[in-house]
Amino acid sequence: MPQPSSSWNLPLDRALVRLRAYRQISGAWNETVALACSGGVDSTALVILASEAFRRGKVAPFVVFHVDHLSRPESSLEANVVRVLCEESGVPFAALTVAETGPVPGRSIEDLWRERRYRELARAASALGLGAVVTAHTRDDQVETVLMRVFSGSSPGGMSIYTHLDGSDGRLNLLRPLLGVTRQDLEEVLTVSAATAIIDPSNADIAYRRNAVQHEVVPAIQRVFPGFEEALLRSVELAKTDALYCDGQAAGAYTRLREIIPGGIRFDRAL
């Protein structure tokens, strides 16, 4: 597999490495990975940050994947924008495509797109022998994810910096080093780098549930509870800590109280 060039065309800007987002990328991976880039603000900033971090020897080599859902006429042009960014940065690039997803009863189109996108990322990463795929999810994405899970009646847990998904195309290891920074932090990366990103008009369509949460629900909560995001995520972490403690206590009790007998396990009801 080709490696990123050691001679970057992106201008060296000391202001870039002083940004909080750069500090999150620096040292984030030590083996060759793939970066998922749609060409939007967040993932374009990810490529810029990773390029500078690699140039400075702070991360291992990487290849950029762009997934085209073929859902809009201009999607192939967007893939070309990402390709040009990678050429200017000396970064290996791979264009991936997935068939347009039709409606499935009981499933949102967003979920279906994400499922097929991750499946294709897993396939491509496995084919190149890559250890993980890095995404540009931010703290804003984390807040939206927690709210969507709460509103749907699911566990309020959020995304983890490192996790994996098991599917028919194998395990996809995901790395999200930017969960601690905001979209505004990544917009600052583009400003410092004098870079531009693709504006996907569908991101403003509140017919999609996540867009509605981003553009309507979150601002409404902010008006009543300014800065609620930090408190929300802290509550999630406290709940996670409580759950881990309870699981540990249950596991310990199980070990203490069980009696292994021929053919099975026995518990004394009196205990």
Side-chain angles (χ1 to χ4, degrees):
M1 184 186 72
Q3 302 297 309
S5 169
S6 60
S7 176
W8 301 97
N9 294 321
L10 286 177
L12 171 62
D13 192 327
R14 292 182 180 178
L16 182 65
V17 301
R18 291 199 296 266
L19 297 179
R20 181 169 59 158
Y22 176 81
R23 295 196 294 272
Q24 299 298 308
I25 289 295
S26 183
W29 60 86
N30 57 14
E31 62 176 352
T32 304
V33 298
L35 270 60
C37 181
S38 66
V41 171
D42 296 354
S43 58
T44 296
L46 171 64
V47 173
I48 292 171
L49 292 167
S51 298
E52 186 63 24
F54 176 78
R55 196 192 70 80
R56 291 172 175 267
K58 300 299 184 180
V59 295
F62 59 91
V63 59
V64 173
F65 287 162
H66 174 84
V67 181
D68 185 353
H69 287 276
L70 306 175
S71 58
R72 292 177 289 111
E74 64 272 23
S75 62
S76 61
L77 299 177
E78 294 171 357
N80 193 56
V81 169
V82 178
R83 184 192 305 275
V84 170
L85 171 66
C86 293
E87 289 175 351
E88 292 177 347
S89 306
V91 178
F93 169 81
L96 312 176
T97 59
V98 293
E100 184 176 357
T101 303
V104 174
R107 299 285 304 279
S108 72
I109 194 67
E110 300 161 277
D111 289 341
L112 293 171
W113 278 345
R114 181 171 58 253
E115 181 180 291
R116 294 197 176 189
R117 180 167 61 252
Y118 282 164
R119 184 185 304 166
E120 181 61 18
L121 288 170
R123 184 203 62 75
S126 176
L128 292 178
L130 303 180
V133 174
V134 183
T135 68
H137 289 106
T138 65
R139 191 186 76 167
D140 300 77
D141 295 307
Q142 183 77 298
V143 169
E144 293 157 15
T145 296
V146 170
L147 290 175
M148 291 175 68
R149 290 179 177 175
V150 169
F151 296 151
S152 66
S154 303
S155 168
M159 297 178 285
S160 299
I161 292 178
Y162 189 83
T163 189
H164 68 266
L165 304 173
D166 290 316
S168 58
D169 294 289
R171 169 173 290 191
L172 174 61
N173 295 314
L174 289 176
L175 176 61
R176 305 181 180 99
L178 297 175
L179 280 181
V181 302
T182 65
R183 290 193 182 108
Q184 186 174 354
D185 289 319
L186 298 188
E187 289 170 356
E188 189 176 5
V189 171
L190 268 61
T191 299
V192 167
S193 304
T196 58
I198 296 167
I199 303 300
D200 182 351
S202 68
N203 289 337
D205 186 352
I206 60 173
Y208 296 115
R209 188 175 300 170
R210 181 175 288 272
N211 290 347
V213 171
Q214 176 184 340
H215 297 298
E216 296 192 334
V217 176
V218 169
I221 299 176
Q222 286 172 332
R223 286 193 292 272
V224 181
F225 297 100
F228 83 95
E229 297 93 338
E230 183 177 348
L232 176 68
L233 297 181
R234 184 169 63 249
S235 295
V236 170
E237 287 303 311
L238 290 173
K240 184 186 298 183
T241 300
D242 290 345
L244 289 173
Y245 175 80
C246 291
D247 288 345
Q249 292 296 304
Y254 173 78
T255 300
R256 291 193 309 271
L257 300 177
R258 70 179 180 179
E259 179 185 356
I260 300 177
I261 61 175
I265 297 175
R266 180 172 62 192
F267 291 91
D268 187 342
R269 291 185 178 181
L271 297 177

